[in-house]
Amino acid sequence: MMGKVATGTGRHKVILLGEHAVVHGYPAVGAPLDAGVRVTIEDAGGVRPGLAVEGVRDPGKVGEALRRIAVAAGLGDRAIGARIETALEPGAGLGGSAALCVGFARAVLALAGEPGTRERTLELAAAGEAVFHGNPSGMDAWLASSEVPVLFSRRSAPEEVPLARDLHLAVLVTGSRAATSEMVAEVARRLDADPAATRATFEEIARLALAGATAMRDGRIDD
């Protein structure tokens, strides 16, 4: 890389309580992981504008997501090369796409000389996340840009969940891949088919998420 270079990072995540219900406005508890995605980008200027992506098996969808972020950042007329480094394959259920979008958003903001505020970073990341998930809750991107667990809801501002005790997680990556967008669509179909039963399930999930956040704050993680 020989042009102006910038880097950005985003963290992988786990959702501890509230997976998928969070898309429909119910609370969920998640935590960022130490592992993440590092994106290094080069601005080659305005000659032959476009985006070249290295470091992923299938650059098609990734390239489209990153292109949308670049356009939203006002760099759509630039020739940009992006190199992606991650220890985890996409589809592991650990927020790889959000980590990628947050990392790229931070990098393009640095390249554009724009302050990398969290609000602006998440705004750009959302443009890319829509390519992967259609209707993302925003939780994955929030966690990708965070260093602490969070109680997240679309209906209110995210709340950090300070831990009274260390929380150690063992995350096993099996190698199996799944499309989050398909599961999100399936939950939506169930909600349409049986709204009362599905919302009752959501309410129970919400109760568990809130109780879990309280237990983490109070140090009662063994309960």
Side-chain angles (χ1 to χ4, degrees):
M1 289 186 174
M2 301 182 63
K4 184 178 178 182
V5 175
T7 62
T9 60
R11 290 175 178 259
H12 289 287
K13 60 77 190 174
V14 289
I15 295 182
L16 303 172
L17 297 162
E19 183 83 61
H20 297 302
V22 69
V23 173
H24 299 278
Y26 294 84
V29 180
L33 300 176
D34 291 335
V37 176
R38 179 182 179 87
V39 183
T40 304
I41 64 175
E42 176 198 11
D43 180 7
V47 180
R48 298 181 64 183
L51 178 67
V53 180
E54 301 176 4
V56 292
R57 289 184 179 179
D58 181 9
K61 184 175 282 190
V62 170
E64 173 59 18
L66 301 191
R67 185 195 67 79
R68 292 190 187 186
I69 294 173
V71 169
L75 297 178
D77 61 344
R78 314 296 289 178
I80 296 176
R83 185 172 67 243
I84 300 165
E85 301 170 83
T86 177
L88 297 175
E89 288 290 325
L94 297 174
S97 63
L100 169 64
C101 290
V102 165
F104 188 74
R106 285 171 165 168
V108 296
L109 287 172
L111 201 64
E114 184 177 339
T117 64
R118 188 174 215 172
E119 181 180 14
R120 182 64 169 145
T121 298
L122 293 177
E123 177 187 350
L124 295 183
E129 271 281 81
V131 173
F132 295 103
H133 299 315
N135 181 31
S137 68
M139 183 176 189
D140 284 8
W142 185 275
L143 289 170
S145 64
S146 182
E147 296 184 359
V148 296
V150 67
L151 176 65
F152 185 93
S153 170
R154 280 180 156 180
R155 299 173 181 174
S156 59
E159 298 178 32
E160 292 188 352
V161 181
L163 296 175
R165 294 168 52 189
D166 288 342
L167 180 62
H168 299 283
L169 299 176
V171 180
L172 176 63
V173 180
T174 65
S176 298
R177 301 179 67 182
T180 301
S181 58
E182 294 178 5
M183 183 59 72
V184 169
E186 174 59 26
V187 173
R189 284 193 291 270
R190 294 188 183 190
L191 180 59
D192 288 340
D194 193 343
T198 305
R199 292 198 181 280
T201 300
F202 286 164
E203 292 291 348
E204 179 62 13
I205 290 171
R207 186 190 68 78
L208 292 171
L210 293 172
T214 299
M216 291 165 65
R217 290 190 183 102
D218 295 345
R220 296 184 291 104
I221 58 177
D222 296 328
D223 290 356

